[in-house]
């Protein structure tokens, strides 16, 4: 009979053997089900103990209190070979497929359903299946039913499909009411208008309650389509524009509580569309005051958007809001264009309107800067200042002569460049560049200003403004321009010199023209005037070239010196090729002596190498030696 110790050891061995068998059975099951790729070795019998019982295999964990037995290592799953990963491509394909299935097909389905309903109703109407009243009733019940049915899908989480059904239902309601009025004349225009307004209001309420911008866009489209669908061809300005103003105000209120700023663009576009359509058909000058009042009301609604909608900016958004920056500019432009269309022949009135708008936008800019706590308040304020400057620029040429248009554009370009630097708004530089180019082109090719006095005249003053703007760009631009913009600073410097030469040359030309008109007559007199004018051209160009060379030496600017050299070379060609044959004895002598003196002076400066241009100059050698 075995001892108790031997019996305990035998029981432990049996437990270990059973554990090993269970382990091997699990491995075989995993291999047959495809979860493993490698089979483990067949089960091995345990060695016999002295008493004839089975001992646990060495790999099986055996727990022994008196004699600790080492546990077998737990087998790991076999390492599978690496496979090429196409996760990124697959994910893109899945995203595209989801977008097509969830959104594109959804919108196409909405349009298809509306078209199908329209064709069904038309087919039923053409075949007289139901009477006019029944047809309209079916449409209204169908629209309401689709809206109610869509709520079941929304409650189960199918929001996109629910909104699709709502879109079909809302569209069916609008079409049914349109048919009741326009086709069958079952209800008067006022009743149809009120019913569509109720549908629009209900859609807005749904959008707010469900926090759905898409439903709000349905309401916006339906609201602005209502006057078009119910048009009677009659003149109802007060009713139409009162309704549009109420709709615009409702959209503005929504934008104050919801971050749905895209709706403001739709509201603005719809207002412009209805106003232009009405204006082209029904505007009469005797009702201009009322039309201006409504246009001002629309402009006021959209002008306060930066103030009203500033608090709803999403915390996830970054960068400047396009709506709060661009919409005020488009609104200002649209309102003034409407005023211009109504007061085209009354420049004085337009001038006062422009000045009043400038004051309004300056005030709005101050309110935005001082009272709004938003990230881009300073930028929006500067944008309103730019709009005010634009209106002042417009007001000046409306009231004064043509050259003030040029001055206005030049001043506006300078102000916009200053604003772009101050507000770090690079896009304003494009507007400034356009205004500057327009001003210079108009100055050179369109302004025909006759100067009656030397230098102190309007033409020279206009050139001075252009030179000042370009000079400011060249001098101040070095502090703020990027490396890629340095070429434009060089163009500005060249422009300053060219405009200065043109202005001085025109002054000389007009001076001698006045001498011809006020002096005597005869060939000798005219020849003398022409000689003096030609000599004056050479003298001015030579003096300007010398002054430019001096500046180049003082500022150690090779760019400026090269401009001086080109101008002097041009003057040399004129003296040797033209002056030598045209000028008289005294003028010819003075011309050549002056040219020679300037050239010798410049040559002496270069020979002394005061700028250390030579790589082996004595001054440089001495300095290096020391």
């Amino acid at each position: 009979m075995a001892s108790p110790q031997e019996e305990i050891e035998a029981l432990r061995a049996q437990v270990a053997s059973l554990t090993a068998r269970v382990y091997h059975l699990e491995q075989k099951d995993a291999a047959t089900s495809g979860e493993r790729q490698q089979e483990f070795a067949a089960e091995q019998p345990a060695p016999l103990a002295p008493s004839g019982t089975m001992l646990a295999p060495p790999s099986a964990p055996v727990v022994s209190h008196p004699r600790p037995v080492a546990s077998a290592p737990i087998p790991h799953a076999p390492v599978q070979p690496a496979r090429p990963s196409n996760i990124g491509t697959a994910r893109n394909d899945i995203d595209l497929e989801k977008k097509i299935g969830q959104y594109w097909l959804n919108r196409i389905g909405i349009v298809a359903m509306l078209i199908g309903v329209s064709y069904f109703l038309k087919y039923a109407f053409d075949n007289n299946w139901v009477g006019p009243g029944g047809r309209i009733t079916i449409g209204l019940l169908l629209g309401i039913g689709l809206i109610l049915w869509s709520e079941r899908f929304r409650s189960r989480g199918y929001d996109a499909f629910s909104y699709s059904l709502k879109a079909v239902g809302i569209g069916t309601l609008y079409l049914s009411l349109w048919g009741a009025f326009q086709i069958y004349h079952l209800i008067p225009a006022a009743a149809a208008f009120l019913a569509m307004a109720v549908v629009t209001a209900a859609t807005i309420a749904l959008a707010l309650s469900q926090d759905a911008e898409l439903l709000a866009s349905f309401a916006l489209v339906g609201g602005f389509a209502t006057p078009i669908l119910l048009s009677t061809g009659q003149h109802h300005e007060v009713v139409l524009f009162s309704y549009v103003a109420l709709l615009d105000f409702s959209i503005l209120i929504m934008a104050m509580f919801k971050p749905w700023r895209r709706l403001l663009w739709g509201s603005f576009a719809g207002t412009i569309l209805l106003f232009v359509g009405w204006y082209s058909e029904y505007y009469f000058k005797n009702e201009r005051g009322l039309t201006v009042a409504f246009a001002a009301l629309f402009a006021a609604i959209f002008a306060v958007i930066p103030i009203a909608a500033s608090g709803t900016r999403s915390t996830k958004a970054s960068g400047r809001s396009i709506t709060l920056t661009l919409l005020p500019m488009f609104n200002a432009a649209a309102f003034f264009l409407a005023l211009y269309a109504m007061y085209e022949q009354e420049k004085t009135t337009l001038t006062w309107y422009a000045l009043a708008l400038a004051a309004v936008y300056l005030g709005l800019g101050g309110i935005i800067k001082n009272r709004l706590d938003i990230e881009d308040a300073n930028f929006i304020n500067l944008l309103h200042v730019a709009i005010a400057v634009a209106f002042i620029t417009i007001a000046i040429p409306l009231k004064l002569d043509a050259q003030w248009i040029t001055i206005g554009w030049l001043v506006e370009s300078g102000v916009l460049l200053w604003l772009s630097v101050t507000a770090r708004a690079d896009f304003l530089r494009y507007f400034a560049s356009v205004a500057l180019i327009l001003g210079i082109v108009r100055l050179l090719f369109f302004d025909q200003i006759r100067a009656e006095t030397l230098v102190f005249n309007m033409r020279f003053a206009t050139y001075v403004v252009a030179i000042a703007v370009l000079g400011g760009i060249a001098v101040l631009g070095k502090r703020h321009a990027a490396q890629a913009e340095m070429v434009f600073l060089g163009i500005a410097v060249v422009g300053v010199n060219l405009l200065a030469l043109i202005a001085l040359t025109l002054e000389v030309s007009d001076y001698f023209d006045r001498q011809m008109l006020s002096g005597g007559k005869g060939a000798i007199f005219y020849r003398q005037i022409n000689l003096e004018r030609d000599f004056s051209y050479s003298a001015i160009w030579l003096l300007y070239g010398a002054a430019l060379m001096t500046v180049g030496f003082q500022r150690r600017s090779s760019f400026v010196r090269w401009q001086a050299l080109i101008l002097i070379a041009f003057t040399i060609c004129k003296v040797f090729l033209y002056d030598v044959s045209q000028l008289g004895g005294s003028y010819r002598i003075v011309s050549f002596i002056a040219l020679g003196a300037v050239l010798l002076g410049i040559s002496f400066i270069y020979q002394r190498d005061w700028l250390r241009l030579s790589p082996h100059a004595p001054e440089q050698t001495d300095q290096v030696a020391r």
Side-chain angles (χ1 to χ4, degrees), residues 178 181-182 185 189 226-237 240 277-278 280-284:
W178 168 76
F181 168 70
Q182 290 285 18
H185 308 290
T226 295
I228 301 174
L229 294 175
L230 302 180
S231 176
T232 60
Q234 299 177 358
H235 179 42
H236 298 292
E237 180 182 6
L240 173 63
W278 173 88
S280 61
E281 294 290 336
Y282 304 109
Y283 172 74
F284 294 100

Side-chain angles (χ1 to χ4, degrees), residues 411-426:
V411 172
E412 182 181 6
S413 67
V415 173
L416 290 177
L417 284 173
W418 175 76
L419 289 176
S420 70
V421 173
T422 305
R424 296 181 180 179
D426 293 341

Side-chain angles (χ1 to χ4, degrees), residues 292-324:
V292 170
F294 275 115
L297 177 60
F298 298 146
I301 292 174
F302 292 106
V304 300
I305 282 177
I307 300 174
S310 59
T312 62
R313 184 166 186 176
S314 174
T315 56
K316 298 181 180 180
S318 60
R320 293 191 171 96
S321 169
I322 297 177
T323 302
L324 299 188

Side-chain angles (χ1 to χ4, degrees), residues 374-391:
I374 57 177
E375 179 183 351
D376 47 3
N378 186 55
F379 172 78
I380 299 175
N381 164 54
L382 293 174
L383 188 64
H384 281 67
V385 173
I387 295 174
V389 170
F391 279 124

